[in-house]
């Protein structure tokens, strides 16, 4: 028999998650007290009370405590925290946060538009004709992949199969996509060919590249400026954009007028305060420089912290600027301490709590805090540098900020009826196709058997009617309704209705083809339109094709333990939340009894879990 262990005495809970951070009360109330709290007659009623009833009681209690429904996550799917791998926030001791597009969210059109304009100016300086280049933010979405060999941008599914593609600013047709990518999978490790759009900073770069590909195709980029290859062009555009990030002009303009670029959100400051007051060490680790970081954080946080007598620096136990991620997670780089308000630095050997540094490494941070691995959660927006590397190299737990998730979830709700109708059409096609395949196989077997025995088509089976093939196929025989499913699967009946000959079979097959082609005339355009509420060219961020995950979603699953649209979505969950990943449904989890299959709505999916995190402690 398994002896129950008090969770307070165990290092991990029954799911293997650390119990660090558990609340240890000196005194425990009597069991009557528990019943009173939950409105139960006895403590054991917890086993029998229906879940729905308990949920209502929980809701009432929260409202009684003055916590209105709008301040906790239920019912706000676009602001929920989603979980790929179970994470117990209560046991996390250190929360590291990235700044740009994580702690500070920018108006993408304003920031990327400005970066685009500066990139264009840099291209002009390099000798390109740039007239007419204008920022079109909806040309790309995050998670797409640049094919630098062919001058294309593609959307791939989780296997790397290309589902949609554009060459320059031209959408490629379905057949063109198949011809180009039908025999190859996108492999992100082939960095010479593919570049993944990891962050919203990639938007300006990708849009500029697409427009420049058009120009290269028109012969409008002189060979003296760049070699006539899409790869060389990518390098040129990247260089033009890189300069906007590292040369001071763009950032100086933003510092002059942060209100034009930064989206303010008071809950961000309160969320960090909650985490800090729950005893967690907070770190800020950004690639931005000190002057820019100081200006952005002052602008977005100090106004909300003033009431607490605090400034942004007071939130953090350590700040690291110019961290040079990804190198920060790969190497031990020199460390400097920023010692004056105007950013003067001196080299130091070790990091320590309470200070502001430039450079250094994740290893130095762990050493300074004496905390490492999965006791640290890092929150960022860049899939590779913030999530993948922190996890692969240091086993830090990771949270990805995906602001577009808010629009995506709203678009998915609007597009639900479209997807239902599309799935129904596809299921109809599958049903007709199944009939077609069976009939085709029957014809093949009959022909083979006729050849083998030099005889004619077998005589009709006893009791079969002279109905046409198509009416026989659509009538509900005992086999089709599932009652004798097993019997049907063990005996092979090659017989045909009376009067059926090869010609009539062919006629029926031809009719079925016409039915399927007719279905295709609607399915094709509907597939192209799927997800247009999010982006008319690329569809949804998280999906590829009707039923599968996009490569972006796959990357999230691999590298981000949780993901959400904003850091302050954590505010609604408390710093002690237990984010539990949804149970994974497998292809064979569907109930495969024949009756269940017939009864199921055709558009029903095996996987109906929303994936929204449970957050009970
Ligand atoms: N050198 C480059 N810098 C870039 C690029 N894309 C963005 N950036 C800059 O990095 C930081 C991001 O900071 P973080 O807080 O998210 O770590 C910001 O200052 C950007 O301007 C790039 O392609 N090259
Ligand atoms: Mg960032």
């Amino acid at each position: 028999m398994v002896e129950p262990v008090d969770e307070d005495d165990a290092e991990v809970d029954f799911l293997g998650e650390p119990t660090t951070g558990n609340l240890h009360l000196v005194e425990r109330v009597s069991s009557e007290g528990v019943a009173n709290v939950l409105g139960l007659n006895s403590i054991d009623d917890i086993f029998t009370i229906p879940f729905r009833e308990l949920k209502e009681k929980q809701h009432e209690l929260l409202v009684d405590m003055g916590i209105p429904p709008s301040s906790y996550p239920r019912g706000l799917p676009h602001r929920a925290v989603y979980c790929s791998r179970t994470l117990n926030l209560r046991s996390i001791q250190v929360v590291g946060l990235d700044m740009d597009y994580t702690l500070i969210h920018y108006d993408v059109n304003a920031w990327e538009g400005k970066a685009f304009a500066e990139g264009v100016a840099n291209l002009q300086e390099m000798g390109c004709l740039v007239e007419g280049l204008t920022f079109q933010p909806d040309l790309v979405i995050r998670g797409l992949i640049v094919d630098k060999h062919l001058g294309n941008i593609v959307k791939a599914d989780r296997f790397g199969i290309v589902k949609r593609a554009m060459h320059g600013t031209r959408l490629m047709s379905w057949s063109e996509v198949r011809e180009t990518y039908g025999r190859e999978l996108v492999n992100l490790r082939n960095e010479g060919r593919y570049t993944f759009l990891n962050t919203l900073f990639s938007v300006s770069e990708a849009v500029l590249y697409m427009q420049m590909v058009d120009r290269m195709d028109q012969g409008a980029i002189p060979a003296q400026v760049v070699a006539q290859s899409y790869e060389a062009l990518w390098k040129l555009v990247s260089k033009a954009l890189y300069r906007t990030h590292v040369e001071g002009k763009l950032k100086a303009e933003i510092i002059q007028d942060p209100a034009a670029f930064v989206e303010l959100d008071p809950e961000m400051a309160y969320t960090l305060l909650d985490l800090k007051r729950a005893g967690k060490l907070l770190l800020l680790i950004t690639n931005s420089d000190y002057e820019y970081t100081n200006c952005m954080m002052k602008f977005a946080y100090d106004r909300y912290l003033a009431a607490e007598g605090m400034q942004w620096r007071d939130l953090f136990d350590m700040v690291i600027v110019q961290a040079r991620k990804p190198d920060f997670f790969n190497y031990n780089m020199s460390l400097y301490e920023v010692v004056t308000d105007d950013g003067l630095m001196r080299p130091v050997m070790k990091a320590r709590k309470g200070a502001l540094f430039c450079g250094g490494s994740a290893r130095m941070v762990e050493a300074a805090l004496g905390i490492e691995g999965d006791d640290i959660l890092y929150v960022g927006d860049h899939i590779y540098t913030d999530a993948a590397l922190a996890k692969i190299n240091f086993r830090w737990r990771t949270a990805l900020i995906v602001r577009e998730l808010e629009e995506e979830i709203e678009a998915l709700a609007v597009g639900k009826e479209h997807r239902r109708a599309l799935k129904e059409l596809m299921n109809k096609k599958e049903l007709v196709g199944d009939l077609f395949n069976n009939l085709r196989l029957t014809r093949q077997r009959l022909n083979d058997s006729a050849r083998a025995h030099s005889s004619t088509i077998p005589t009709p089976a006893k009791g079969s009617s002279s109905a046409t093939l198509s009416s026989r196929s659509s009538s509900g025989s005992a086999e089709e309704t599932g009652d004798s499913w097993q019997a049907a699967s063990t005996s092979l009946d090659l017989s045909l209705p009376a009067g059926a000959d090869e010609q009539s079979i062919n006629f029926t097959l031809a009719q079925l083809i016409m039915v399927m082609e007719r279905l295709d005339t609607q399915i094709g355009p509907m597939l192209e339109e799927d997800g247009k509420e999010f982006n008319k060219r690329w569809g949804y961020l998280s999906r590829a094709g009707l039923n599968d995950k996009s490569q972006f979603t796959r990357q999230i699953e691999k590298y981000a333990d949780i993901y959400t649209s904003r850091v302050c979505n954590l505010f609604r969950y408390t710093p002690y939340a237990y984010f539990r990943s949804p149970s994974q449904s497998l292809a064979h989890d569907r109930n495969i009894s024949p009756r269940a299959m017939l009864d199921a709505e055709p558009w029903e999916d095996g996987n109906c879990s929303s994936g929204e995190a449970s957050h009970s402690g």
Side-chain angles (χ1 to χ4, degrees):
M1 195 181 119
V2 178
E3 280 290 313
V5 179
D6 189 336
E7 203 184 271
D8 284 354
D9 300 333
E11 278 182 16
V12 290
D13 66 12
F14 61 94
L15 285 177
E17 287 294 314
T19 55
T20 325
N22 274 4
L23 185 62
H24 298 284
L25 292 177
V26 180
E27 275 186 61
R28 292 190 175 215
V29 292
S30 69
S31 56
E32 286 77 38
V34 176
N36 288 342
V37 164
L38 289 166
L40 305 171
N41 291 327
S42 105
I43 192 167
D44 285 339
D45 284 355
I46 194 68
F47 295 117
T48 50
I49 184 173
F51 181 77
R52 185 173 290 278
E53 226 176 280
L54 186 63
K55 203 168 168 184
E56 276 163 20
K57 281 190 196 297
Q58 181 229 30
H59 177 83
E60 283 163 21
L61 285 164
L62 284 165
V63 174
D64 284 354
M65 282 188 271
I67 304 171
S70 62
S71 64
Y72 54 95
R74 193 189 302 156
L76 295 172
H78 58 296
R79 298 292 297 274
V81 173
Y82 292 91
C83 182
S84 316
R85 187 186 145 202
T86 295
L87 172 79
N88 190 353
L89 189 54
R90 183 181 56 192
S91 71
I92 291 293
Q93 297 180 49
V94 179
V95 181
L97 300 125
D98 162 79
M99 183 179 79
D100 297 285
Y101 283 125
T102 299
L103 285 177
I104 301 287
H105 187 72
Y106 300 110
D107 173 332
V108 178
N109 286 350
W111 212 105
E112 297 309 313
K114 197 87 185 154
F116 181 92
E118 300 250 337
V120 167
N122 289 340
L123 284 179
Q124 191 169 27
E125 254 180 41
M126 294 165 175
C128 295
L129 291 174
V130 295
E131 216 168 288
L133 294 175
T134 49
F135 184 49
Q136 291 173 274
D138 61 349
L139 265 187
V140 298
I141 56 175
R142 197 192 333 197
L144 299 179
I145 298 149
V146 183
D147 177 348
K148 295 173 281 190
H149 282 188
L150 300 179
N152 297 342
I153 300 234
V154 306
K155 182 179 188 187
D157 70 7
R158 70 188 153 125
F159 304 110
I161 298 169
V162 174
K163 294 290 189 176
R164 298 187 188 192
M166 287 179 83
H167 176 73
T169 61
R170 177 180 63 81
L171 207 55
M172 288 164 69
S173 70
W174 171 234
S175 55
E176 203 181 349
V177 171
R178 247 201 0 217
E179 248 167 57
T180 316
Y181 295 103
R183 285 167 185 272
E184 65 189 299
L185 297 178
V186 170
N187 177 3
L188 294 178
R189 293 199 179 156
N190 183 354
E191 290 175 10
R193 176 161 181 185
Y194 298 113
T195 292
F196 190 76
L197 304 185
N198 277 296
T199 148
L200 288 170
F201 282 128
S202 319
V203 171
S204 41
E205 193 174 20
V207 171
L208 190 51
Y209 179 62
M210 291 163 89
Q211 296 184 349
M212 291 300 283
V213 164
D214 286 354
R215 299 212 162 183
M216 181 165 267
D217 289 347
Q218 291 154 8
I221 304 179
Q224 305 90 283
V225 174
V226 65
Q228 299 296 293
S229 85
Y230 298 122
E231 251 172 305
L233 184 63
W234 171 258
K235 281 191 188 138
L236 187 82
V237 170
S238 285
K239 190 169 162 194
L241 258 301
Y242 174 85
R243 281 177 53 189
T244 70
H245 287 283
V246 294
E247 291 173 0
K249 195 162 163 257
L250 172 68
K251 300 267 171 71
E253 283 182 45
I254 295 166
I255 286 174
Q256 281 305 307
D257 185 14
F261 298 92
V262 174
E263 288 186 4
L264 293 174
D265 188 339
E267 285 188 357
M268 296 289 276
Y270 306 145
T271 306
L272 298 189
L273 268 178
D274 271 355
L275 288 167
K276 187 173 179 62
R277 288 172 177 167
K280 298 179 194 311
L281 299 177
L282 299 191
L283 315 178
L284 173 65
I285 304 172
T286 174
N287 277 2
S288 283
D289 62 34
Y290 172 67
E291 188 195 1
Y292 184 75
T293 302
N294 191 30
C295 173
M296 293 301 110
M297 292 299 290
K298 239 186 191 161
F299 177 77
Y301 286 81
D302 282 4
R303 65 188 66 216
Y304 305 116
L305 295 169
E308 307 287 325
M310 290 170 80
Q311 295 182 337
W312 75 269
R313 279 282 309 275
D314 301 322
L315 288 171
F316 298 99
D317 295 278
M318 193 187 288
V319 174
I320 299 181
V321 297
Q322 282 176 282
R324 292 207 271 149
K325 294 171 281 178
D327 291 351
F328 181 82
F329 289 110
N330 285 327
Y331 311 106
N332 263 337
M333 294 175 306
S334 315
L335 183 71
Y336 299 87
E337 184 173 356
V338 181
V339 283
T340 62
D341 272 355
D342 55 358
L344 203 74
M345 293 189 257
R346 66 180 170 104
V348 285
M349 296 306 289
K350 278 192 206 163
R352 62 174 201 288
K353 266 202 244 172
L356 168 63
F357 297 102
C358 171
S361 66
R363 180 81 58 223
M364 288 177 183
V365 169
E366 288 193 338
L369 303 177
I371 298 171
E372 59 183 39
D374 60 8
D375 289 331
I376 303 176
L377 171 70
Y378 191 62
V379 187
D381 65 295
H382 194 294
I383 294 194
Y384 179 66
T385 60
D386 294 331
L389 284 184
K391 177 160 287 300
I392 295 167
N393 291 356
F394 285 88
R395 298 278 156 222
W396 288 5
R397 306 305 303 270
T398 51
L400 192 78
I401 300 304
V402 186
R403 178 60 78 105
E404 311 92 294
L405 207 54
E406 292 179 11
E407 248 179 87
E408 167 91 348
I409 285 169
E410 270 155 30
L412 279 165
V414 176
K416 197 171 171 186
E417 175 50 31
H418 177 85
R419 285 201 308 287
R420 190 207 59 77
L422 180 50
K423 282 185 188 177
E424 189 174 350
L425 287 182
M426 288 171 97
N427 283 325
K428 279 184 184 172
K429 186 175 172 193
E430 199 179 310
L431 218 62
V432 177
D434 208 26
L435 178 61
F436 178 89
N437 293 342
N438 276 290
L439 194 53
R440 183 179 176 178
L441 182 63
T442 304
R443 187 186 72 152
Q444 175 191 310
R445 284 174 177 162
L446 289 169
N447 284 343
D448 287 351
S449 132
R451 261 197 300 277
H453 299 104
S454 305
S455 62
T456 52
I457 289 172
T459 49
K462 224 168 113 187
S464 65
S465 75
S466 59
T468 64
L469 283 169
S470 45
S471 67
R472 171 187 157 125
S473 309
S474 57
S475 70
S477 72
E479 283 141 36
E480 284 167 324
T481 53
D483 294 342
S484 54
W485 178 69
Q486 279 209 308
S489 66
T490 52
S491 70
L492 188 60
D493 179 7
L494 293 181
S495 63
L496 285 172
D501 54 17
E502 194 172 353
Q503 209 182 350
S504 74
I505 297 177
N506 287 344
F507 184 67
T508 307
L509 285 172
Q511 282 180 314
L512 293 177
I513 289 175
M514 278 173 66
V515 173
M516 288 189 284
E517 283 175 353
R518 189 89 186 95
L519 281 166
D520 277 347
T521 60
Q522 276 203 18
I523 289 173
M526 280 178 82
L527 270 173
E528 272 171 30
E529 283 199 351
D530 186 42
K532 70 175 188 308
E533 293 83 3
F534 183 75
N535 183 286
K536 67 175 190 280
R537 296 179 180 86
W538 299 107
Y540 298 112
L541 185 74
S542 55
R543 291 164 187 260
L546 187 62
N547 288 322
D548 222 322
K549 296 166 186 173
S550 61
Q551 182 62 216
F552 180 68
T553 301
R554 179 71 192 120
Q555 298 291 316
I556 291 180
E557 271 182 352
K558 265 163 86 174
Y559 301 122
D561 296 321
I562 55 174
Y563 61 102
T564 191
S565 64
R566 324 174 176 214
V567 173
C568 63
N569 292 342
L570 289 170
F571 188 59
R572 296 177 160 74
Y573 287 80
T574 83
Y576 322 105
Y578 193 100
F579 298 111
R580 183 151 38 86
S581 64
S583 61
Q584 297 295 294
S585 85
L586 308 176
H588 61 265
D589 283 343
R590 279 192 82 170
N591 186 340
I592 54 161
S593 85
R595 171 63 61 198
M597 286 175 92
L598 281 167
D599 288 349
E601 294 290 357
W603 51 87
E604 243 174 30
D605 268 343
N607 185 354
C608 58
S609 163
S610 74
E612 186 179 339
S614 144
H615 54 280
S616 50

